Amino acid sequence: MTSAAESSLDADYFCLPLLCPLDGRYRDKVKDLSIFTSELALIKYRVLVEIRWLLKLSQISEVSEVPSFSREAESYLQNLCDQFNLDDAVEVKKIERVTNHDVKAVEYFLKQRCQSQPEISKVLEFFHFACTSEDINNLAHALMLKEALNEVILPVMDKLIAAICNLATANASIPMLSRTHGQPASPTTLGKEMAIFAYRLSRERKELSRIEILGKFAGAVGNYNAHLVAYPDVNWPQIAEEFVTSLGISFNPFVTQIESHDYMSRLFNSIILFNNILTDFDRDIWGYISLGHFKQITKAGEIGSSTMPHKVNPIDFENSEGNCGAANAVLSYLSSKLPISRFQRDLTDSTVLRNMGVGLGYSLLAYKSALKGIAKLQVNEASLIAELNQSWEVLAEPIQTVMRRYGVPEPYEKLKELTRGQEVTRESIRDFIEGLDIPIHAKTTLLNLTPHTYVGTAAELAKSLDIVTSLVNGARIL
């Protein structure tokens, strides 16, 4: 029996020579995505589309040359889809070395595999009937994206949002000094600041799930030219729409040789925004760790610095930020390039689309890194309290606001003179309040105010987060 250490060593031998770290160093973290975005997955989805199209042709009465298949023949075709494996994909690649055409290689593979089936062998030339390669590819890519998002990306996004929600609700009432321009500002609560990120991420995740995945099946330039010459009495646009929607993809009737990829641009832009919000979160948590507001749970054997033994670095949030950046670099190019194609088609989208998994892979890596970091966080309330105790100047805002209410002249200017660039203490603030000519109940309210209690509705906002986000998460790409 192979030990875990030996298996790990075998994996290292496989991964070390690889070009991309997603397939090497980070493979274990993103391997679930390769099921949907690898070249093996692309070939498998092409096989599915080709087979489903042949089955669709057998259901069109005018296409009498392809009669309805028996249950046995349909089962044979279905098994080709369901049981398609790495060995089959290697066989397709061998054919491609001869054809120098990846989609044609799939067609030839299917013809070879179906020669022995009596019914299907009679209609082999109806594989890829009236199709251009992009009829097959655009639906394969659409299915890859839809499944990758539904089965991998969106569930991890939801875990991330849930983890930040837990941070928000668990710390809803813990007061914390705000910082605007890096300087002390009106207090908030730790939970409310976490709630902002959970809400922002939830909204963008919801927008992502609403994006419609589109597909086309209209032939060489989008007009069903060859279809109509071969079978002029068939309503090919209707057939195409029925076929595309049967795959769970929305139909785009206005196309050239390619589906225009506008939906992909919209989808990738949505992921970019989600990643940017996460980057904002990563940097804030990094800052709070630096200030001592969070401690990180340590793990025996781990090393923070090769020369400074005391270090416990916020590496998970740094990794998350870096991988968000790598993901967005790829996704940004995909988003800007894919909607552009010369005349009725050029091939630049083909090579670019092979990198969908790269953008999604770095995104997935970022989400998992952030989740790992969140799991290590411990709130250091003593640090938060100590900082508030040193920041009595933040009460200048409520004091001058109450002074305005009761007609005290130049309230802003008086508080500016007291606090700006000055050391402000509890005693100096109390002395100032005592000297104000305002009603006694207003003076009492101000005297009872501390940096720890001056948090407005922050706690209530954080506690209401579950109600808001529960309506957002869990939605799938339709």
Side-chain angles (χ1 to χ4, degrees):
M1 182 178 292
T2 303
S3 69
E6 288 172 331
S7 296
S8 178
L9 203 57
D10 289 342
D12 286 341
Y13 274 109
F14 170 76
C15 293
L16 285 171
L18 299 178
L19 179 63
C20 179
L22 291 175
D23 292 319
R25 182 180 184 87
Y26 303 125
R27 178 170 177 77
D28 283 347
K29 296 180 176 66
V30 299
K31 61 185 178 183
D32 290 345
L33 196 59
S34 69
I35 298 170
F36 305 106
T37 61
S38 63
E39 186 166 8
L40 169 60
L42 175 58
I43 296 171
K44 182 175 182 177
Y45 282 114
R46 284 169 172 162
V47 167
L48 183 150
V49 175
E50 292 277 13
I51 287 174
R52 292 285 288 271
W53 178 234
L54 183 64
L55 289 169
K56 179 64 176 177
L57 290 172
S58 74
Q59 299 164 7
I60 304 171
S61 59
E62 293 89 344
V63 186
S64 57
E65 292 79 4
V66 187
S68 296
F69 291 122
S70 66
R71 186 171 297 178
E72 181 184 359
E74 288 188 356
S75 178
Y76 184 89
L77 289 169
Q78 188 60 49
N79 284 339
L80 283 176
C81 292
D82 295 342
Q83 298 174 13
F84 190 86
N85 58 33
L86 182 58
D87 290 335
D88 295 327
V90 169
E91 188 62 34
V92 173
K93 294 299 289 184
K94 288 179 182 177
I95 298 170
E96 185 186 342
R97 290 194 189 100
V98 178
T99 63
N100 197 32
H101 197 289
D102 48 3
V103 177
K104 203 66 176 175
V106 170
E107 178 190 343
Y108 288 170
F109 166 82
L110 289 171
K111 287 179 177 179
Q112 290 175 7
R113 287 299 174 92
C114 293
Q115 283 177 347
S116 61
Q117 213 290 330
E119 291 178 57
I120 306 170
S121 64
K122 296 176 183 178
V123 294
L124 293 178
E125 292 306 324
F126 282 86
F127 276 117
H128 205 72
F129 177 77
C131 293
T132 185
S133 296
E134 267 306 294
D135 287 331
I136 308 303
N137 279 336
N138 90 98
L139 295 180
H141 284 127
L143 291 168
M144 291 167 69
L145 264 180
K146 183 177 179 180
E147 294 303 310
L149 289 167
N150 282 337
E151 301 303 323
V152 182
I153 297 295
L154 292 178
V156 178
M157 283 182 170
D158 287 343
K159 288 180 182 179
L160 178 58
I161 292 166
I164 300 174
C165 280
N166 289 338
L167 273 180
T169 54
N171 301 289
S173 300
I174 295 180
M176 180 179 77
L177 186 69
S178 292
R179 277 180 167 77
T180 58
H181 309 279
Q183 305 303 308
S186 300
T188 182
T189 69
L190 177 59
K192 184 260 180 176
E193 298 313 302
M194 298 301 101
I196 292 171
F197 289 109
Y199 181 65
R200 292 171 67 194
L201 291 169
S202 292
R203 283 180 58 85
E204 195 51 42
R205 185 254 185 260
K206 183 178 181 181
E207 290 302 311
L208 176 59
S209 69
R210 288 175 169 173
I211 294 171
E212 201 173 17
I213 305 287
L214 297 177
K216 58 87 67 174
F217 211 76
V221 292
N223 303 327
Y224 308 95
N225 304 48
H227 307 62
L228 287 167
V229 172
Y231 293 97
D233 297 328
V234 175
N235 185 344
W236 288 109
Q238 179 181 326
I239 294 295
E241 182 172 5
E242 291 172 357
F243 177 63
V244 171
T245 55
S246 74
L247 297 173
I249 305 299
S250 297
F251 181 63
N252 184 351
F254 293 97
V255 294
T256 58
Q257 187 174 104
I258 66 170
E259 199 288 319
S260 55
H261 306 316
D262 295 344
Y263 84 85
M264 288 187 176
S265 180
R266 190 172 295 113
L267 189 151
F268 294 143
N269 278 330
S270 181
I271 297 174
I272 288 168
L273 179 51
F274 187 96
N275 293 350
N276 281 337
I277 296 168
L278 179 57
T279 298
D280 196 19
F281 170 82
D282 290 332
R283 291 179 179 179
D284 276 11
I285 295 295
W286 187 97
Y288 293 140
I289 292 171
S290 177
L291 291 167
H293 297 342
F294 282 116
K295 295 179 180 179
Q296 297 177 94
I297 299 171
T298 58
K299 184 177 179 181
E302 286 189 348
I303 293 171
S305 168
S306 63
T307 188
M308 293 174 281
H310 68 283
K311 297 288 288 297
V312 183
N313 295 329
I315 58 172
D316 298 306
F317 299 104
E318 292 170 339
N319 283 337
S320 179
E321 178 184 343
N323 285 309
C324 279
N328 285 2
V330 175
L331 295 174
S332 178
Y333 179 67
L334 289 172
S335 175
S336 63
K337 187 272 156 294
L338 287 174
I340 301 169
S341 185
R342 295 173 181 86
F343 300 126
Q344 282 66 54
R345 199 272 157 99
D346 66 45
L347 199 66
T348 53
D349 63 331
S350 178
T351 187
V352 169
L353 281 167
R354 294 180 185 277
N355 292 281
M356 288 193 310
V358 178
L360 295 179
Y362 280 113
S363 297
L364 179 61
L365 197 55
Y367 309 156
K368 289 189 173 183
S369 294
L371 278 166
K372 185 179 178 182
I374 290 169
K376 296 178 182 178
L377 292 177
Q378 287 183 325
V379 178
N380 185 359
E381 288 191 58
S383 173
L384 294 166
I385 292 169
E387 188 174 59
L388 287 166
N389 286 337
Q390 298 298 316
S391 304
W392 283 83
E393 67 271 18
V394 297
L395 297 185
E397 181 190 39
I399 294 169
Q400 65 102 1
T401 304
V402 171
M403 290 167 66
R404 287 177 187 274
R405 176 181 178 182
Y406 294 107
V408 178
E410 298 184 331
Y412 179 89
E413 288 72 20
K414 287 182 170 68
L415 266 299
K416 177 182 175 184
E417 182 179 351
L418 174 70
T419 61
R420 196 169 194 222
Q422 305 296 319
E423 181 182 354
V424 180
T425 64
R426 178 176 180 272
E427 289 72 25
S428 63
I429 285 288
R430 289 183 65 85
D431 289 345
F432 183 85
I433 295 170
E434 292 283 9
L436 292 176
D437 184 16
I438 58 176
I440 188 65
H441 69 275
K443 186 176 292 188
T444 301
T445 297
L446 291 177
L447 287 169
N448 289 332
L449 204 59
T450 72
H452 309 77
T453 60
Y454 179 50
V455 295
T457 61
E460 290 74 19
L461 283 167
K463 290 173 183 177
S464 71
L465 182 65
D466 281 344
I467 299 172
V468 176
T469 57
S470 65
L471 302 176
V472 173
N473 301 326
R476 292 165 63 87
I477 300 282
L478 299 177

